Amino acid sequence: MTEGVTLRKEIGERLSDIGKVDILIGIPSYNNAKTIGHVVQAVQGGLAKYFPEKRAVLVNSDGGSTDGTPDIITHTTLDLHSILVSHRVTPPLKFVIPYHGIPGKGSAFRTIFEIANTLEVKACAVVDADLRSITPEWVDLLIRPIIEAGYDYVTPYYLRHKYDGTITNNIVYPLTRALYGKKIRQPIGGDFGLSGKLISFFLAKEGIWGTDVAKFGIDIWMTTTAIAYNFRICQAFLGAKIHDPKEPSADLSAMLHQVIGSIFDLMETYQHIWMAIRGSEPVPIFGFQYEVGVEPIDINLDAMIDKFKLGVRELEGIWELFLNENILDLLKRLAGPQGKNNFFFPDDVWAKIIFDFAAAAHQRVMGKEHLLKSLTPLYLGKVASFVIETWDSSASEVEERIERLCLAFEETKPHLIERWD
Amino acid sequence: MENFLDRLVFEPLKHFYERLITFLPNLLTALIITGVGLFLGWLLKGIIIRILNIINLDKFCERAGIIQALEKGGIKESPSRLAGKIVYWLVVISFLIMSLDALNIPAVGNLLTKFLLFLPNLFVAFIILIFGYFLSNFLGRAALIASVNAGIKVSGFIAKSVKLIVFLLTLAMALEQLGIGKETVQIAFAIIFGGVILALAIAFGLGGRDIAKDYLERKLKGEGDKEGLTHL
């Protein structure tokens, strides 16, 4: 067994005593006391119910919680009689360890992967600690495609409210799909299944663990790397995704900077791959698909349109460095005095804008932080248009709408290639 | 009579001739140094322009908005040609100084000493101004984007104010470095800066009391003017 670089000696010794393990479930956490108990119970239930004969370990990699999260994990147990009529399993071993290095989800993942690699696991799943909708079935759906069908990477496929995950729906999914040609619906979902082979491959990429990937870009990095190196990928239908509300102070422009900045960085690394890809192909989905009710979301449409109009008025001087006149004219018309019902942001224009931002980042037209934060008003304009268009639409109609947006990104891809150099 | 002519005409002429003979080699040396300087300046200018064209400096400056800034300042030449010209004049001036020194004239020597001692200040002031210009642009843009994203209606005014204040600060620092109106500049800057801050404080305190109260209440309750979406 090889010992990871970030693991302390005593942990390495404990791992050596354990020997080989079949399944590892990793939970990165930071101040998730409210939800972590439920997540741990769901994982314990899933392992007992679906993999009773497998050796399993639960690893919590904590970022220095001050609300007692690690204690809750240590003391949480699930009464298996409540979900199983009969069982003959011992509960999975638990590791609750703080991670070291740069603070962030990527560093937490690295620690989990190091342990998985040391224990030579066959399959590993990572789940977010803020989940309220996780069930024991998630463990089965994320692990079984790896153990029984030979997949290397399982991405989640959730049912979410039509206005939940708008960065994913309007940028991350269409852009990733147009670039790399795979219809992966939740590239940054947060809950993934990974084979031991893929984990070893990720850990071997030593250069990335000191970059932004360690802080916030781990989800998109894993998905893009798995695609780029042709690992076998599938999706698992997990049902509804409901998580603890994020901090109200979470800044949208910082979020855009982190998420889109990570995708743009990966575009530099994998330029030779995405340049040659046209169109997209489906990725298999495992799990029984069903409709679920999701929590309603209040939308402040006026605030979004106001910020879009303010952005067009004030940021034109920045955008004119890399957006062409036709797009700027259309934005000015959109920011005009027409009513809400006539507010329509065309898909092809949105795709061109995202591609122009990518080319501008590549050509270093200005600092990436300023560039990506200046995207915020445009993003809000696009989301406002999306909300207006889909106000009375059902979940399946919204999916069709997102599919049309993805096709616009794929059809507009030559614009990106033309603008790139 | 002969003696008189000698003293009045020939001796000064002889003296002038001797000094001229002594001075002429210095003049020739000075002319040669100037000529070499002009040639070297021309040569270096050509090399610099060529190198900067190879590394696409003009394209980079266009993207970074430097060309637009120069045009606003009335400079129509490309940054690479401008850099070439600056190098040319630096070389020419350096050689001119050397050539003046070669003339061995005490008054010129004194002036040159003073000028040379002042040169580092001039250089530092120039660097401060250049740095200040870019810093004010950078911070002005950062303030503009941040205030637009926060939904502040007077974002343009905020950005311009930040830009102006930072540039004024660096201008004051540059003038102080040059020793021009040292105390006057400091006092004037302190009065203007303090006045602006006081005016803003009064304006916000009196005029925007209710807005500030409302804003703080919403922030403390965690509501803000968010869009109500979970974006990721």
Side-chain angles (χ1 to χ4, degrees):
Chain A
M1 277 189 260
T2 54
E3 202 174 291
V5 288
T6 61
L7 299 180
R8 290 200 311 270
K9 198 181 166 195
E10 64 268 26
I11 294 168
E13 283 167 3
R14 268 184 73 192
L15 295 177
S16 298
D17 294 342
I18 293 168
K20 285 188 184 179
V21 163
D22 299 310
I23 297 168
L24 183 145
I25 309 292
I27 310 173
S29 66
Y30 180 67
N31 288 339
N32 300 108
K34 275 192 271 180
T35 50
I36 194 78
H38 168 70
V39 175
V40 170
Q41 285 185 332
V43 168
Q44 285 178 331
L47 289 170
K49 188 174 175 184
Y50 295 103
F51 303 102
E53 70 289 349
K54 303 278 186 197
R55 291 198 77 202
V57 172
L58 192 156
V59 177
N60 165 244
S61 180
D62 190 73
S65 296
T66 52
D67 64 348
T69 299
D71 289 340
I72 295 172
I73 297 169
T74 309
H75 298 111
T76 297
T77 48
L78 177 66
D79 175 14
L80 292 171
H81 292 290
S82 64
I83 59 164
L84 300 171
V85 175
S86 67
H87 64 93
R88 52 176 184 77
V89 291
T90 49
L93 289 164
K94 274 190 225 166
F95 273 95
V96 180
I97 51 168
Y99 63 78
H100 298 281
I102 301 167
K105 191 177 174 183
S107 295
F109 271 33
R110 187 186 189 188
T111 301
I112 292 167
F113 292 165
E114 295 275 12
I115 294 173
N117 202 37
T118 308
L119 296 175
E120 296 179 37
V121 299
K122 290 192 181 78
C124 165
V126 280
V127 291
D128 281 343
D130 65 348
L131 288 166
R132 288 199 274 137
S133 60
I134 185 171
T135 63
E137 283 65 41
W138 284 36
V139 175
D140 182 42
L141 288 160
L142 291 171
I143 293 290
R144 199 170 296 280
I146 295 166
I147 289 183
E148 289 185 3
Y151 283 96
D152 291 304
Y153 191 57
V154 186
T155 64
Y157 191 106
Y158 311 112
L159 283 178
R160 302 174 78 171
H161 187 277
K162 58 186 175 183
Y163 304 136
D164 185 16
T166 40
I167 293 182
T168 300
N169 290 346
N170 287 284
I171 307 178
V172 180
Y173 172 46
L175 181 58
T176 310
R177 175 173 149 176
L179 288 173
Y180 303 103
K182 299 275 184 197
K183 293 180 184 176
I184 296 175
R185 185 65 184 84
Q186 298 288 341
I188 53 170
D191 312 297
F192 299 100
L194 306 98
S195 68
K197 187 174 80 173
L198 184 58
I199 287 172
S200 302
F201 182 81
F202 282 164
L203 286 173
K205 295 209 155 279
E206 285 182 1
I208 65 107
W209 299 106
T211 66
D212 282 350
V213 168
K215 283 187 262 180
F216 42 73
I218 186 72
D219 296 339
I220 193 67
W221 179 83
M222 291 199 307
T223 302
T224 309
T225 308
I227 300 171
Y229 287 92
N230 289 318
F231 282 93
R232 290 191 69 208
I233 302 172
C234 70
Q235 301 177 89
F237 183 84
L238 301 178
K241 181 180 184 177
I242 302 166
H243 51 84
D244 219 26
K246 294 265 187 300
E247 278 285 301
S249 57
D251 180 22
L252 167 62
S253 60
M255 231 185 275
L256 276 173
H257 170 224
Q258 292 176 1
V259 176
I260 314 303
S262 302
I263 299 178
F264 287 178
D265 287 345
L266 287 161
M267 285 175 75
E268 302 286 343
T269 311
Y270 298 120
Q271 184 183 333
H272 60 289
I273 293 173
W274 62 258
M275 280 267 187
I277 291 170
R278 296 288 180 279
S280 61
E281 59 184 40
V283 172
I285 303 174
F286 284 87
F288 178 71
Q289 295 190 40
Y290 52 91
E291 295 271 335
V292 288
V294 282
E295 289 185 338
I297 290 176
D298 290 326
I299 304 285
N300 189 347
L301 198 56
D302 290 328
M304 286 194 273
I305 295 176
D306 283 349
K307 281 188 184 173
F308 167 75
K309 288 182 176 178
L310 181 66
V312 173
R313 202 176 68 220
E314 300 290 353
L315 300 182
E316 193 194 345
I318 292 175
W319 297 336
E320 70 186 7
L321 295 172
F322 51 89
L323 293 181
N324 70 38
E325 270 181 35
N326 293 339
I327 291 176
L328 288 172
D329 286 344
L330 185 131
L331 293 175
K332 277 185 238 170
R333 278 205 303 279
L334 259 179
Q338 88 274 27
K340 241 192 278 184
N341 291 337
N342 295 321
F343 189 86
F344 174 68
F345 206 130
D347 287 349
D348 60 326
V349 173
W350 176 239
K352 278 181 185 165
I353 288 173
I354 295 296
F355 289 150
D356 284 345
F357 269 79
H362 170 65
Q363 291 159 7
R364 292 180 169 79
V365 168
M366 67 176 78
K368 201 188 278 172
E369 188 169 349
H370 283 185
L371 179 79
L372 289 169
K373 286 187 171 177
S374 80
L375 177 66
T376 312
L378 296 173
Y379 161 75
L380 288 173
K382 178 61 191 164
V383 174
S385 168
F386 177 79
V387 170
I388 292 164
E389 284 174 68
T390 56
W391 193 249
D392 297 318
S393 304
S394 64
S396 58
E397 285 167 339
V398 170
E399 274 308 305
E400 282 168 25
R401 180 70 195 81
I402 294 169
E403 178 64 22
R404 288 207 300 279
L405 177 66
C406 290
L407 291 174
F409 268 76
E410 288 176 18
E411 283 158 16
T412 318
K413 192 173 174 183
H415 176 83
L416 168 67
I417 292 164
E418 185 189 310
R419 295 295 298 270
W420 189 253
D421 288 316
Chain B
M1 185 66 190
E2 202 175 300
N3 209 358
F4 176 75
L5 274 175
D6 269 358
R7 260 200 356 251
L8 202 69
V9 180
F10 295 118
E11 263 186 36
L13 273 175
K14 191 179 161 193
H15 192 65
F16 172 73
Y17 174 75
E18 279 167 2
R19 290 190 67 178
L20 190 67
I21 290 294
T22 325
F23 179 70
L24 270 179
N26 291 345
L27 183 67
L28 188 68
T29 312
L31 284 173
I32 290 169
I33 291 172
T34 309
V36 170
L38 285 169
F39 174 72
L40 260 181
W42 171 81
L43 191 72
L44 278 174
K45 180 181 150 188
I47 292 170
I48 291 287
I49 291 174
R50 192 157 284 194
I51 290 172
L52 295 181
N53 279 335
I54 289 168
I55 62 167
N56 271 332
L57 178 82
D58 293 346
K59 209 174 162 189
F60 171 78
C61 288
E62 194 177 357
R63 285 188 208 139
I66 295 170
I67 288 185
Q68 295 88 322
L70 291 172
E71 279 174 355
K72 270 186 200 168
I75 299 166
K76 302 284 178 205
E77 272 176 300
S78 66
S80 56
R81 289 199 72 80
L82 196 66
K85 270 193 169 179
I86 290 171
V87 169
Y88 172 79
W89 282 109
L90 276 177
V91 173
V92 169
I93 288 170
S94 307
F95 276 79
L96 268 178
I97 290 167
M98 281 194 276
S99 68
L100 286 172
D101 196 39
L103 291 174
N104 268 335
I105 302 169
V108 174
N110 283 341
L111 272 176
L112 274 179
T113 312
K114 279 186 183 170
F115 180 70
L116 285 173
L117 285 174
F118 190 65
L119 265 185
N121 289 336
L122 202 67
F123 180 72
V124 172
F126 180 71
I127 296 292
I128 289 173
L129 269 185
I130 298 283
F131 177 73
Y133 176 77
F134 286 110
L135 187 70
S136 65
N137 269 344
F138 179 83
L139 293 178
R141 192 162 66 192
L144 179 67
I145 293 169
S147 47
V148 165
N149 289 340
I152 298 168
K153 302 275 181 227
V154 288
S155 304
F157 172 74
I158 291 172
K160 278 176 191 152
S161 304
V162 168
K163 203 170 158 177
L164 186 69
I165 288 170
V166 174
F167 190 70
L168 280 178
L169 181 69
T170 50
L171 186 68
M173 285 166 70
L175 287 173
E176 196 188 330
Q177 185 66 36
L178 293 174
I180 300 170
K182 218 171 180 178
E183 282 170 13
T184 319
V185 169
Q186 275 177 4
I187 293 166
F189 183 79
I191 290 170
I192 294 171
F193 195 69
V196 169
I197 297 297
L198 186 66
L200 285 174
I202 291 169
F204 281 117
L206 295 178
R209 200 169 52 188
D210 294 336
I211 298 169
K213 185 174 164 247
D214 182 47
Y215 176 79
L216 285 174
E217 272 176 2
R218 277 190 289 130
K219 278 282 163 195
L220 288 172
K221 282 180 192 164
E223 291 169 7
D225 53 353
K226 297 280 178 201
E227 305 76 32
L229 296 167
T230 46
H231 299 278
L232 288 176

